Amino acid sequence: MTRTVVITGANRGIGLALTEHFLAKGDTVYALCRKPSAELSATAAKVIANVEVTGTDSLKALRSRLDGVQIDILINNAGILERTSIENIDDAAFERQYRVNSLAPLKVTAALRDLMPAGSKLALVTSRMGSMADNSSGGQYGYRMSKAALNAAGVSLAHDLAGDNIAVAILHPGFVQTDMVGGMGDVTPQQSASGLAARIEELTMETSGTFWHANGDQLPW
């Protein structure tokens, strides 16, 4: 059965790899981004550009463009990383990460929620850096705090959407070789996307709101 998948931040990295993965499965993919890359444009995805995930007006326009579409899987993938430390408490950097990493997934979900029928799935691409128990190195205050906030939102969404029979996946993609981390990492975007997709496929209402690594390990809060 062909499903409809909506992915934010789809122009590169994990988002592009997720787009390619679901297309290869025969699904219809709406790939959302601010500006499409040549790689994304070369796919069979339905690309929607000029999407600002933090912008209320932009999300209203997105909702209008998707009117009549039934979303089976919504993946909030868009995110940013800015270096912050105790010596570098840059208010603007903290606020940008909070707006993109924490608030935007909630706003996107709210904007598109009425297009998600019972049995659909919501995935939040977060980070184990948002875990309290897993923090063994300190630092990266803005990113860690923004992802901890996203994790909290994910648990609340799992409760709030349970009545609509919509399950919520809270997912760490692994340390992925993307531009965001300067090409460092343990896995390729394609390997990460495959793992993330597997976790989304496994998601049930019973596991909604739990925190998982793309490799299948459950993560501590």
Side-chain angles (χ1 to χ4, degrees):
M1 182 181 68
T2 299
R3 299 168 300 181
T4 296
V5 184
V6 175
I7 303 170
T8 67
N11 61 312
R12 63 178 185 169
I14 298 168
L16 176 62
L18 283 165
T19 297
E20 293 169 338
H21 177 92
F22 284 103
L23 287 171
K25 294 292 186 182
D27 296 317
T28 298
V29 178
Y30 286 85
L32 314 185
C33 58
R34 286 188 293 180
K35 183 178 179 181
S37 62
E39 293 82 1
L40 177 60
S41 297
T43 72
K46 298 178 183 295
V47 179
I48 302 180
N50 301 311
V51 175
E52 176 49 70
V53 292
T54 63
T56 300
D57 290 341
S58 177
L59 294 179
K60 286 181 179 178
L62 172 64
R63 171 60 184 79
S64 294
R65 291 192 63 177
L66 291 175
D67 195 39
V69 173
Q70 177 178 295
I71 301 172
D72 298 298
I73 301 173
L74 171 59
I75 304 176
N76 282 287
N77 163 74
I80 61 172
L81 167 64
E82 297 192 40
R83 306 293 179 182
T84 55
S85 67
I86 190 65
E87 295 82 20
N88 176 31
I89 302 178
D90 181 337
D91 287 13
F94 275 74
E95 290 167 4
R96 282 191 295 269
Q97 289 178 97
Y98 173 74
R99 286 197 302 271
V100 175
N101 296 346
S102 316
L103 186 56
L106 188 59
K107 294 179 71 171
V108 170
T109 302
L112 304 182
R113 176 182 178 181
D114 69 320
L115 301 178
M116 301 179 69
S120 60
K121 297 180 179 183
L122 169 66
L124 306 176
V125 178
T126 181
S127 172
R128 69 189 305 168
M129 289 181 73
S131 167
M132 309 301 170
D134 193 64
N135 185 349
S136 60
S137 61
Q140 299 299 347
Y141 289 85
Y143 188 74
R144 287 188 186 278
M145 291 165 68
S146 70
K147 291 300 189 177
L150 177 58
N151 291 351
V155 175
S156 285
L157 283 166
H159 289 296
D160 291 341
L161 299 179
D164 296 328
N165 196 35
I166 297 173
V168 179
I170 304 171
L171 302 173
H172 169 62
F175 186 25
V176 187
Q177 298 161 3
T178 64
D179 292 343
M180 191 169 79
V181 294
M184 298 184 295
D186 301 325
V187 295
T188 66
Q190 292 73 26
Q191 289 169 325
S192 175
S194 179
L196 292 169
R199 304 291 79 75
I200 294 169
E201 300 294 354
E202 293 171 356
L203 177 68
T204 66
M205 291 304 300
E206 287 68 36
T207 59
S208 182
T210 53
F211 187 16
W212 295 85
H213 193 299
N215 68 11
D217 293 338
Q218 188 164 8
L219 294 171
W221 297 109

